[in-house]
Amino acid sequence: MRWLLDRLNNPLHLLIALACTWLLASSPWIGMYHALPEEPGWLDLGHVALGLAMLPLGIVYLAACTVGGRWRLYFPWAAGQLGAVGTDVAGMFRGERPVSEGGGLFATIEGLLLLALIAAALSGTLWFVERGSDAAVLWRGHHIVAAHAFAVLMGLHVLAVSLHVVDLVRD
């Protein structure tokens, strides 16, 4: 199973990154609140279909990233290992870039991004399942908060990757 998850890691990363970029870019034009519009457009239907696909894809990607004890890399706070994160944050105050390996700040951002992806996908799925009810409005609110958290963390992830590329080019 680990071999399969390792093989799926890079293709899933690319697929999820492209899909989530489209979901975030299309979200301002989505016309849903309580339920799908009576005549949903292709943006509404595409957002729902792609969003529903993100839940199983996100869960498989989470498993691929955390199999074999690698969860400690992405979630050092859950393992009680915040030393590398603290070192990275303290280094930033001294003008140093965080290291890209070893369960520090960048890996923690990636772990939180994974959780935000699952939260946005799950809340969006529950919003869809509960459409037409009062609970749908509640799930919509949760979905918006999760999607905003995801967008911020995705921006931080892109920044972290960019800084890592700069380090690679300099070395």
Side-chain angles (χ1 to χ4, degrees):
M1 182 66 151
R2 182 176 179 168
W3 175 84
L4 177 62
L5 290 173
D6 284 342
R7 297 262 308 159
L8 289 173
N9 197 314
N10 287 338
L12 274 175
H13 183 268
L14 178 62
L15 178 64
I16 289 171
L18 293 173
C20 288
T21 300
W22 187 85
L23 287 166
L24 288 172
S26 68
S27 63
W29 293 279
I30 300 303
M32 292 180 273
Y33 179 69
H34 194 264
L36 277 169
E38 286 188 32
E39 294 184 30
W42 67 272
L43 273 178
D44 293 320
L45 294 174
H47 191 90
V48 169
L50 202 52
L52 289 172
M54 285 301 99
L55 185 57
L57 289 174
I59 290 169
V60 171
Y61 187 59
L62 178 66
C65 289
T66 59
V67 70
R70 289 189 299 209
W71 65 271
R72 289 177 191 86
L73 177 69
Y74 295 99
F75 308 108
W77 47 269
Q81 301 169 347
L82 287 172
V85 176
T87 301
D88 283 348
V89 171
M92 287 174 58
F93 285 109
R94 292 188 304 270
E96 301 169 3
R97 267 196 291 269
V99 296
S100 57
E101 305 295 329
L105 182 60
F106 288 172
T108 300
I109 290 169
E110 291 172 348
L112 292 173
L113 180 61
L114 279 168
L115 293 179
L117 169 66
I118 301 297
L122 181 60
S123 59
T125 298
L126 291 170
W127 178 16
F128 180 76
V129 168
E130 295 287 339
R131 69 189 178 279
S133 72
D134 291 337
V137 177
L138 177 69
W139 284 114
R140 177 185 184 268
H142 293 315
H143 181 66
I144 289 170
V145 169
H148 284 156
F150 179 84
V152 167
L153 289 163
M154 189 167 155
L156 291 172
H157 177 58
V158 169
L159 176 65
V161 169
S162 300
L163 291 173
H164 180 63
V165 169
V166 167
D167 286 341
L168 289 175
V169 170
R170 285 186 176 172
D171 291 338

